[in-house]
Amino acid sequence: MDKTSEVSGFYKLDPRKRLEFVRDFAKLSEEEVDLLQKTGALELEQANRMIENVIGTTEFPLGIATHFLINGKDYLIPMVLEEPSVVAAASNAAKMARPRGGFHAESTRPVMIGQIQVVDVKDHLRAKEEILTHKERIISKANEQDPFLVKLGGGAVDLEVRLMETFRGPMVIVHLLVDVRDAMGANVINTMCEAVAPVIEELTGGRVFLRIVSNLATHRLARARATFSKEALGGEEVVEGVLQAYAFAAADPYRCATHNKGVMNGVIAVALATANDTRALEAGAHAYAAKDGLYKPLTHWERNDDGDLVGSIELPVAVGLVGGATAVHPIAKICRKILGVKTAQELGEVLAAVGLAQNLAAMRALATEGIQRGHLKLHARNVAATVGATGELIDLVAKRMVAEGKVSYDRALAILKELQK
Ligand code: MEV
């Protein structure tokens, strides 16, 4: 019989039983099954409570970016990602920011938006008026859902009403604004939106469909800026090169996507280390970059009167320190301790600084020696390991390829064979 993915009750099985099913389906070897069963700090049982249909856990490297000085405080920055050179680049940029005082960061209150979609409204202006007239009633209904959050100084604080044309006709969209304090906030927002929906239906006479957080968190922003002296950067030509790179990104969405990807290399790596929702951040950042109708860089760069390079960044930062995986994942908890952040707002400011550093490092490399040289050493080690080098042979094969200025699987294999003789 052909193998099928149609399996009932898979979710009810023990993770080990699920793995047996997957083993048979994918013809996994015993060695592969053993690897999948190996767990690190995140135990199988914890993982099994985090998502559905768990069969194991997986690992990525955790690196530490150094030299970060943000608002006069020194930080070691844990970063989780699979890409070589990112951690080194962040550290390098942070080092170059220090002579001019490091990064200065600030952020707004942690206010997230919940959206409530109302359709089939007869009189839209009247509906808007009714909602605004009964704003306090809606807000207190929302706050009844989470008295603890209110006690902490958060909770629903305001609402906005938008009238919108869509291809299915006009809609009334209510934005519930909630100060989520140290949470990422999606859960509390969704609960509140669902709770106030009947009140909104009653006030508008319409029908509510969606009640959900918006990842375009325009009320929860972090900003960072830093000055990089031309000496630290390597001279006036480097400043010029970075400005040319920035102008390119500001003019062209093809380049801008990669420019912002570089920013997010840093932001997402820190978010992952702290077990935050990286997809929410990514969606928010790119939507924010396009908020004026054109996709633009998240960063801004200019030369000051001394000829130094001044950079700034602004982006939405829907991150939390409580709730979700952030407070459960054992490594994330340690990463948070290493970071030493006390609030989600502070974490957001760190993310902004890391994003700015990452962008500077990328543009500097691109505008000078190119990106590949920095990648070469680690890439060479990876290639050496992939063709079967182990122990000190990895370094020997990699070094030879780097010296020759060419890294390839064929060459790695040839060198390995030669060394093994
Ligand atoms: C690679 O992960 C990121 C860069 O492409 C960013 C950029 O081009 O600015 C180097």
Side-chain angles (χ1 to χ4, degrees):
M1 205 180 78
D2 277 349
K3 61 185 183 181
T4 177
S5 66
E6 195 176 16
V7 44
S8 68
F10 189 71
Y11 71 97
K12 288 190 212 152
L13 297 177
D14 177 86
R16 289 159 200 87
K17 287 273 175 243
R18 287 186 203 127
L19 181 54
E20 280 173 20
F21 180 86
V22 175
R23 177 198 60 199
D24 297 343
F25 184 93
K27 299 203 174 20
L28 299 180
S29 67
E30 282 315 310
E31 212 180 355
E32 286 164 336
V33 169
D34 282 350
L35 276 183
L36 280 170
Q37 276 180 331
K38 238 191 207 173
T39 51
L42 181 65
E43 310 231 337
L44 195 60
E45 290 320 313
Q46 286 172 313
N48 199 30
R49 283 192 295 272
M50 285 169 76
I51 64 165
E52 307 75 36
N53 294 358
V54 165
I55 61 163
T57 59
T58 186
E59 292 167 319
F60 283 98
L62 165 61
I64 297 287
T66 57
H67 290 95
F68 272 85
L69 182 65
I70 307 170
N71 293 338
K73 176 175 164 185
D74 266 286
Y75 290 85
L76 288 177
I77 314 273
M79 299 176 83
V80 170
L81 82 166
E82 86 302 342
E83 186 176 334
S85 303
V86 173
V87 178
S91 307
N92 199 17
K95 191 174 176 182
M96 291 186 288
R98 284 183 88 98
R100 294 281 186 272
F103 298 86
H104 303 276
E106 54 170 31
S107 50
T108 62
R109 204 175 161 186
V111 172
M112 296 284 288
I113 300 168
Q115 297 194 292
I116 300 147
Q117 174 199 29
V118 200
V119 303
D120 297 344
V121 174
K122 289 209 177 66
D123 184 341
H124 290 86
L125 286 176
R126 177 91 203 276
K128 178 174 180 175
E129 219 177 280
E130 279 295 300
I131 296 169
L132 291 176
T133 309
H134 294 89
K135 188 160 142 172
E136 290 314 318
R137 181 180 158 206
I138 299 168
I139 288 176
S140 50
K141 178 81 189 166
N143 282 333
E144 276 169 25
Q145 313 310 310
D146 202 335
F148 187 60
L149 180 64
V150 177
K151 210 163 133 196
L152 291 174
V157 288
D158 203 357
L159 60 77
E160 294 163 351
V161 184
R162 301 163 65 215
L163 303 183
M164 199 173 288
E165 276 307 325
T166 78
F167 70 87
R168 304 264 314 182
M171 293 178 188
V172 177
I173 307 295
V174 182
H175 278 191
L176 187 65
L177 308 189
V178 184
D179 180 332
V180 298
R181 298 281 90 196
D182 287 325
M184 183 273 177
N187 269 327
V188 61
I189 295 261
N190 296 342
T191 305
M192 287 182 173
C193 287
E194 288 183 14
V196 302
V199 182
I200 289 174
E201 282 189 331
E202 181 197 314
L203 292 170
T204 59
R207 279 201 302 160
V208 166
F209 277 94
L210 302 199
R211 298 144 296 166
I212 185 75
V213 69
S214 168
N215 284 311
L216 178 51
T218 49
H219 293 288
R220 195 181 194 181
L221 301 173
R223 302 178 192 100
R225 70 190 151 76
T227 301
F228 300 85
S229 71
K230 54 181 181 299
E231 294 79 19
L233 285 166
E236 280 169 15
E237 257 313 279
V238 181
V239 175
E240 178 59 21
V242 169
L243 290 173
Q244 293 289 2
Y246 170 57
F248 182 10
D252 174 30
Y254 288 91
R255 171 57 206 149
C256 194
T258 323
H259 177 102
N260 287 341
K261 189 271 184 183
V263 171
M264 299 312 281
N265 270 349
V267 173
I268 295 300
V270 183
L272 211 48
T274 52
N276 267 286
D277 181 343
T278 56
R279 289 85 56 216
L281 275 169
E282 197 82 65
H286 294 289
Y288 194 67
K291 71 178 188 317
D292 298 325
L294 278 177
Y295 185 68
K296 289 288 175 191
L298 289 161
T299 52
H300 176 88
W301 294 94
E302 58 193 37
R303 198 190 328 243
N304 68 12
D305 292 343
D306 301 328
D308 294 338
L309 190 66
V310 182
S312 58
I313 184 170
E314 181 179 90
L315 78 171
V317 281
V319 282
L321 293 178
V322 297
T326 48
V328 176
H329 195 296
I331 299 294
K333 288 199 279 187
I334 302 172
C335 286
R336 172 178 161 183
K337 190 167 175 186
I338 296 171
L339 259 178
V341 291
K342 301 274 183 301
T343 61
Q345 245 179 284
E346 186 183 355
L347 176 57
E349 291 171 8
V350 168
L351 292 181
V354 175
L356 185 65
Q358 208 74 62
N359 181 226
L360 183 267
M363 287 195 299
R364 179 173 178 266
L366 289 166
T368 56
E369 62 183 20
I371 209 79
Q372 286 308 86
R373 206 171 133 207
H375 278 280
L376 211 62
K377 253 176 141 168
L378 274 171
H379 178 55
R381 286 172 54 86
N382 276 335
V383 172
T386 310
V387 299
T390 51
E392 59 181 19
L393 278 177
I394 295 180
D395 272 336
L396 290 174
V397 174
K399 267 193 190 135
R400 277 271 292 277
M401 288 195 291
V402 171
E404 292 169 6
K406 187 167 177 265
V407 177
S408 74
Y409 291 90
D410 290 347
R411 189 64 197 129
L413 202 58
I415 299 172
L416 180 63
K417 282 198 177 134
E418 197 187 308
L419 291 171
Q420 276 169 338
K421 262 190 208 153

